[in-house]
Amino acid sequence: MPTNMPSHVTSKHPLIAHKLSLLRDKNSSAKQSRELLEEIAYLLAYEAMQDLDLKEIGQMESPLAPYTGEAIKDKIGLVPVLRSGLSLVNGFLTMIPTARILHIGLYREQISLQPVEYYNKLPKEPNVDLCIVLDPMVATGGTSVETINILKDWGVKRIKFVCVCASKAGLEALLEAHPDVTIYTGVVDETLSKEGYIVPGFGDCGDRIYQTKN
């Protein structure tokens, strides 16, 4: 693994910028939003997994000649932060279908804006080498920080974090709390509203994709 990897990478891919512009549009339907998130996840997966280690799996045969086969060395766990993190899972599974899915449920309390854990389905002992946390949005950063705290307490040594949109304040909080975790973002927005939403962002991700807004 490269030793000079930055702790934060914002994608410069034009397709991500294009799809983010569509995702931000308030007129995008729930179906369109789900599809866009899955497509963005697919592209961010490429960014986040470009430094994975490989192992040789022996001699194999192409139609013309033998060759030495290679495969991903690490056992990878995808950790979607419920509920909106589920929207990024399929994009990552397209890239690495052998990944295990590990679920952690956190919500942000409306008054204090602090994270509250309500679900944890991690096995008793770590069964993966690398966890990739998936959360479409990092607003205040509290939920993201706590998710990584839970994984570290569980015993995972290597963690990456992937989000579609982060606020500058949330990103800074996450980097300060976990400087050893590489963070991959699609875009970083400057502002948070007084209610703790990213501005311009793309609204409440869970409400948009699951149509639960009153």
Side-chain angles (χ1 to χ4, degrees):
M1 180 182 297
T3 58
N4 60 344
M5 283 293 292
S7 57
H8 168 233
V9 178
T10 295
S11 176
K12 302 299 183 183
H13 202 297
L15 282 176
I16 290 182
H18 171 78
K19 292 177 185 298
L20 269 166
S21 183
L22 298 174
L23 181 63
R24 290 189 193 274
D25 187 347
K26 67 179 182 179
N27 296 313
S28 292
S29 68
K31 178 178 183 294
Q32 290 170 326
S33 296
R34 289 192 297 268
E35 290 171 347
L36 287 164
L37 282 166
E38 183 172 333
E39 292 164 359
I40 292 169
Y42 179 90
L43 295 166
L44 287 174
Y46 178 85
E47 303 266 12
M49 294 191 286
Q50 62 180 310
D51 64 334
L52 295 183
D53 292 328
L54 293 169
K55 62 180 179 181
E56 293 186 2
I57 56 174
Q59 289 295 303
M60 304 174 73
E61 294 281 342
S62 82
L64 297 177
Y67 67 97
T68 301
E70 293 181 309
I72 300 298
K73 181 178 180 181
D74 295 321
K75 294 178 181 177
I76 296 175
L78 303 177
V79 188
V81 180
L82 303 179
R83 59 184 170 153
S84 58
L86 293 171
S87 63
L88 306 183
V89 169
N90 284 342
F92 272 76
L93 283 177
T94 299
M95 294 292 282
I96 185 157
T98 57
R100 299 177 180 183
I101 313 299
L102 307 168
H103 293 101
I104 295 175
L106 295 161
Y107 70 89
R108 188 174 60 176
E109 201 277 323
Q110 292 186 352
I111 302 300
S112 67
L113 301 183
Q114 294 303 304
V116 178
E117 181 182 343
Y118 67 90
Y119 187 78
N120 186 321
K121 197 61 175 176
L122 297 175
K124 185 176 180 180
E125 300 291 339
N127 58 355
V128 295
D129 303 305
L130 168 67
C131 279
I132 303 177
V133 181
L134 306 177
D135 200 354
M137 309 191 82
V138 175
T140 63
T143 299
S144 308
V145 169
E146 182 59 24
T147 299
I148 296 173
N149 286 338
I150 292 169
L151 291 173
K152 287 183 174 180
D153 289 343
W154 183 46
V156 172
K157 302 301 182 184
R158 294 171 55 209
I159 301 170
K160 294 172 180 276
F161 188 95
V162 176
C163 74
V164 175
C165 179
S167 75
K168 184 178 180 181
L171 177 61
E172 289 175 349
L174 184 51
L175 287 168
E176 181 177 358
H178 297 291
D180 56 325
V181 174
T182 304
I183 303 161
Y184 298 85
T185 57
V187 69
V188 178
D189 287 344
E190 289 288 326
T191 310
L192 281 175
S193 71
K194 64 179 181 180
E195 295 83 14
Y197 289 104
I198 302 173
V199 179
F202 51 91
D204 186 298
C205 183
D207 284 344
R208 287 194 69 177
I209 63 178
Y210 298 122
Q211 303 185 79
T212 52
K213 186 176 178 63
N214 291 331

